[in-house]
Structure formats: C-alpha cells, structure tokens
Amino acid sequence: MQSTAAPSMLRYLWIYTVVSGVLAVLFGVLIFIRPGAAIIVTAIFFGAYLLVTGIAQVVLAFSVRSSFGGRALLFISGAAALVLAVLCFINLSNSVDLLAIWIGIGFIFRGVATAMSAFSDKSLPGRIWEIIVGILSVIAGIILFVAPLEGLVALTQVTGIILVVIGVVEVIAGIRIRRESSFGPTARVRDTVT
C-alpha cells in the first residue's frame, strides 16, 4: 500500500517560500533606499575576502610542489591581495574604489570576450545580441572606472529592484503552493470529512 501523504518538509514549503520572498523584498527595499550602506558592507566583505585569499595564496606558495615560477606567481598574487586588503581596512573608500575597479575589470573582460566571440563566429545564434551585450558590458566597466561610487550605487539599486521583484514572485509562488497543494486548508477539511 502506497501512501499519498506529502513528505513532512514539503508541507511547510509554502511557508519557507513566503518568508524567503518577504525577506528578499525587505532586503531589496533597504538596498534601494540605502545603497551607500549596502556598498560599505559589501566593501568590508571584499576586504575580508582579499585578506583570506591573500593568506591562502602565500601559504600555498610555500607548500605546493610546483615550479619556482608557479610558486613565485602564487606568492606575488597573495602578497598583492594582502596589500590591497590592508588598504581596504585602512580607508573604507579605498575598499569601495577597489571593489568598483574589480567589478569594472570583470565587465570589461566579459564584454570583450563576448563581443569578440560573436564577431568571429558568424554562425552564432543571436550574434547581434551577443555583440550588443559585449559592448554594453565594456561600457559598464568603463563607467565603473570613471565614476566608481556612482557606478556602484547604480549597480546596487538595480540589485535592490531585482530582489524586490524576486521576493514578490516568491510570495506569490508560496501562496500558490499552499492553495494548490494537497495539504492546504481545504485538504484539512477534506481529511476530517473522510
């Protein structure tokens, strides 16, 4: 005999989904209203990330069995990350600028790679759109170099909007899960009648 009962955790899926959605909305609104605070918190985590990865790379440089060149690169990379981490913690605005430069470099590399691959492969589906995405990514990277704080604020506000949209969708999904599941309020009435 097979049981048609839902798994115990699945009964509460709608609650978790609604709570996750509400938290995403609140976090998104907070980020959109106070992007500066979100940037500072992110910059602090960025400094901590540089510190941890710097230490790990320096330790790895002395413990890995690799060529001298490989170990030297690990050591230089780790030492540079440690210097940048110290700069982040000495002055928080350094951390914000470094974060903007890091994101800007990422946008530029992604944009150039995307555009160049689309230019070189004439059979690529959606080739024009890939070229446009590549160009827009490069422009976004340049903006983050030219105006790091303003670029981060804009990026943060977009993130806030995305979180609000995702949160609203999660709340709706949670309500739909409860309504359409076999363990909502109508299911309890149906179970007591049978």
Side-chain angles (χ1 to χ4, degrees):
M1 181 174 171
Q2 290 184 348
S3 172
T4 58
S8 61
M9 289 302 292
L10 195 55
R11 283 185 189 276
Y12 305 106
L13 175 64
W14 73 273
I15 295 171
Y16 300 130
T17 306
V18 169
V19 168
S20 174
V22 169
L23 290 175
V25 168
L26 292 174
F27 190 52
V29 167
L30 181 65
I31 286 175
F32 189 74
I33 292 173
R34 304 268 306 171
I39 289 171
I40 289 172
V41 169
T42 304
I44 290 169
F45 279 113
F46 180 65
Y49 163 77
L50 287 173
L51 182 68
V52 170
T53 57
I55 291 170
Q57 285 184 325
V58 167
V59 169
L60 191 61
F62 288 108
S63 59
V64 72
R65 292 181 188 201
S66 180
S67 68
F68 175 76
R71 289 191 321 239
L73 283 175
L74 274 173
F75 179 79
I76 291 168
S77 173
L82 287 173
V83 168
L84 292 175
V86 169
L87 289 175
C88 285
F89 290 119
I90 287 176
N91 184 352
L92 207 50
S93 70
N94 287 342
S95 184
V96 171
D97 290 342
L98 287 171
L99 179 63
I101 290 169
W102 185 285
I103 294 171
I105 288 171
F107 275 141
I108 289 171
F109 273 104
R110 179 186 187 271
V112 168
T114 301
M116 293 309 292
S117 66
F119 275 123
S120 64
D121 186 0
K122 299 203 184 316
S123 66
L124 183 70
R127 179 173 177 253
I128 297 299
W129 292 107
E130 289 294 311
I131 292 170
I132 292 170
V133 166
I135 292 169
L136 289 176
S137 293
V138 169
I139 291 169
I142 292 169
I143 289 171
L144 282 165
F145 273 111
V146 173
L149 186 58
E150 294 81 1
L152 281 178
V153 168
L155 198 58
T156 304
Q157 287 178 329
V158 169
T159 302
I161 292 169
I162 290 170
L163 279 170
V164 168
V165 170
I166 289 172
V168 168
V169 170
E170 277 188 320
V171 168
I172 292 168
I175 292 168
R176 297 284 305 207
I177 289 169
R178 181 162 194 241
R179 189 177 302 151
E180 294 175 10
S181 67
S182 61
F183 33 82
T186 55
R188 278 188 240 129
V189 171
R190 189 174 51 239
D191 289 342
T192 56
V193 172
T194 56

